[in-house]
Structure formats: C-alpha cells, structure tokens
Amino acid sequence: MKTRAITGFFFIGVLIAAVLLGPFVFIPFFALLGVYSVYEFYKMVQAMDIRPLVWTAIACATIGFLLLGAVLVGFFPEGSLLWLFSAAFLLYITALFRQSTTAIQDLSYTLFGLCYAAIPFGIFICLGFLEGSYDPYIPLGFLILLWTNDTGAYLAGKSFGRRKLFERISPNKTWEGFVGGMLLAVVVSFNLGRYFDALSNWQWLTLALIIGTFGTLGDLVESMLKRNTGMKDSGSLLPGHGGLLDRFDGLLMAAPLVYIFLKTFVF
C-alpha cells in the first residue's frame, strides 16, 4: 500500500505538470502515454498466441500523434488528419509480408489496439484545444474528475459496499462504490465551476456524470479484457498500480464522450 501511495502521488504530480507546462509538453507527454498503452495492449493479447503487427502499429500511432500535434498547434491544416487513414493500408501491406495463417485475427487485434488505446488518448489531447488555442483547464478538470470518481468509488465501496455491480467481471466493484464515486465527482465539479471558468457549473456537472458513468464502464471493459487474456495487470510500469491501461482505463471510454458533448453543446 505504501508503494502504491508513493507511486500515485508522484504520478499525479507529473500528470498535472505535463498539463500545465503548455502544449509542447502536454502533447508529446500524453502521446507517449497513448503509444505505450497500445504496446501494453499488444503484450496482453500476445499471451493468447495472437501475433499483432506490434511495431508497425506503434509506428503508425507515433506518426498519428505527431500529425495530430502539428495540426493542433497550427503547423498543418486540419485536412492533414485525413492521412491517418493511410495507416490502415500500411498495416494491410505489412501483413502481406508475414508468414501467418491467422492474418485476419492478427490484423483485427492490431486495429482494435489502435482504436482502443491510441484514438482515445488523441481525443483527450484535443480537449486542450477546443477553442483553437491551448487551454489546460479542461483536460486538467477531466483528470481531477476521473481521480475523484475513482477515489470516491474506492472509499464508498470499502466502507459500504454490499451489492455487486458486475461480479462476473470485477467482484470488488459495488453499486455503493459506483454511487459514492459519482457523488464525489459531482461535488468536485461545482468547485471546478468556481475556479476553472473554461466551463460553467452545469457543464462541469455534466462532465462529472459522463466521467462517473463511462469511466466506470471503461474500468469494467479493461477488466474484461484482462480476464480474457489471463492477465492480472496490463503491465508493471507503475509499481503498486500495474500498467498504464490499468490507470487510464476510465479515460479510454470517457474522453471521447466528453469531447462529443463539448463539441456538440458548448464549442
């Protein structure tokens, strides 16, 4: 528990610093997290004797993040992002040169890894540029709500948890924990409305509800994948916490929905 607490404290500090130090730190830092999360996913599925095109996919993800960053800071026009579709063609062509009798499975898992891990991190990066120029307070507020939801769920589940939320996938999660996490995120959202004026109170409240709901579902989805692959953790990068996918599983589902909400109703 001590190792977990120390790791969590320093990792949160690094994340906050990466967001506040500006776009030229924020973009490459979270792009690196996205690329490593893709790598963790491929390591997980390799435990099932699947042979994804690991290094070609990582190269595609890296180029994709570089292109996205260049568009967001104004180096390239938005239309340049259409070139990302060529990444799929590169994967198809690479598969031609492999002596594999499971090409469909290999390509399917490869593409799924990019969709599951890389694209949500790319969308999270876009949360910092909703108004065109970089604003750190929306992605920072997102992370704060994600952390408070996790903390509230843990404390409420530990203290009051009785009714299992999804016992087949995650025996330790309870409805009481889910409600506790949601309530704490809602309380914190009103404070964000006071100090982070990028969004109004009702908008932060809506983000809290989206993150509380779909962050929990993202956690359950990652637990399902780990059970399917027979893995306890997605990796060992963070002592006491497991891998990056274990820490950002809620972001993977919540970030795209938060982005859709903000682009549709706010910006």
Side-chain angles (χ1 to χ4, degrees), residues 128-141:
F129 297 85
L130 287 167
E131 293 186 282
S133 58
Y134 181 61
D135 182 349
Y137 294 105
I138 293 178
L140 181 58

Side-chain angles (χ1 to χ4, degrees), residues 37 116 120-121 146 150 173 214-223 226 234 243-255:
S37 295
Y116 177 65
F121 269 100
L146 191 65
D150 288 346
K173 291 197 180 302
F214 291 96
T216 301
L217 289 172
D219 190 332
L220 289 170
V221 167
E222 201 241 353
S223 295
K226 287 191 294 186
S234 66
L244 287 182
L245 287 177
D246 297 317
R247 292 303 91 213
F248 289 102
D249 46 14
L251 178 149
L252 301 181
M253 190 172 290

Side-chain angles (χ1 to χ4, degrees), residues 48-109:
M48 304 190 305
D49 295 325
I50 302 297
R51 297 178 58 212
L53 291 79
V54 177
W55 298 111
T56 305
I58 286 176
C60 289
T62 302
I63 294 169
F65 280 119
L66 289 172
L67 182 57
L68 175 64
V71 168
L72 290 174
V73 298
F75 290 164
F76 294 156
E78 289 186 7
S80 303
L81 291 175
L82 293 173
W83 283 100
L84 292 178
F85 288 105
S86 63
F89 304 147
L90 179 60
L91 293 172
Y92 302 156
I93 294 168
T94 302
L96 285 173
F97 293 92
R98 301 178 89 196
Q99 294 183 355
S100 174
T101 58
T102 58
I104 292 177
Q105 293 94 318
D106 297 343
L107 280 169
S108 298
Y109 278 95

Side-chain angles (χ1 to χ4, degrees), residues 115 154 195:
C115 293
Y154 174 78
Y195 298 107

Side-chain angles (χ1 to χ4, degrees), residues 129-208:
F129 297 85
L130 287 167
E131 293 186 282
S133 58
Y134 181 61
D135 182 349
Y137 294 105
I138 293 178
L140 181 58
F142 178 101
L143 291 175
I144 290 172
L145 291 174
L146 191 65
W147 297 330
T148 53
N149 178 70
D150 288 346
T151 302
Y154 174 78
L155 295 175
K158 192 90 169 170
S159 303
F160 311 109
R162 297 292 183 273
R163 301 170 184 83
K164 301 298 183 182
L165 178 62
F166 219 113
E167 189 171 10
R168 178 173 61 85
I169 299 298
S170 186
N172 295 325
K173 291 197 180 302
T174 62
W175 280 104
E176 291 83 359
F178 172 73
V179 173
M182 185 75 77
L183 288 176
L184 185 58
V186 166
V187 170
V188 170
S189 73
F190 286 109
N191 286 285
L192 291 178
R194 291 178 59 190
Y195 298 107
F196 292 2
D197 59 2
L199 301 175
S200 64
N201 282 334
W202 78 267
Q203 291 161 353
W204 282 118
L205 172 62
T206 304
L207 261 62

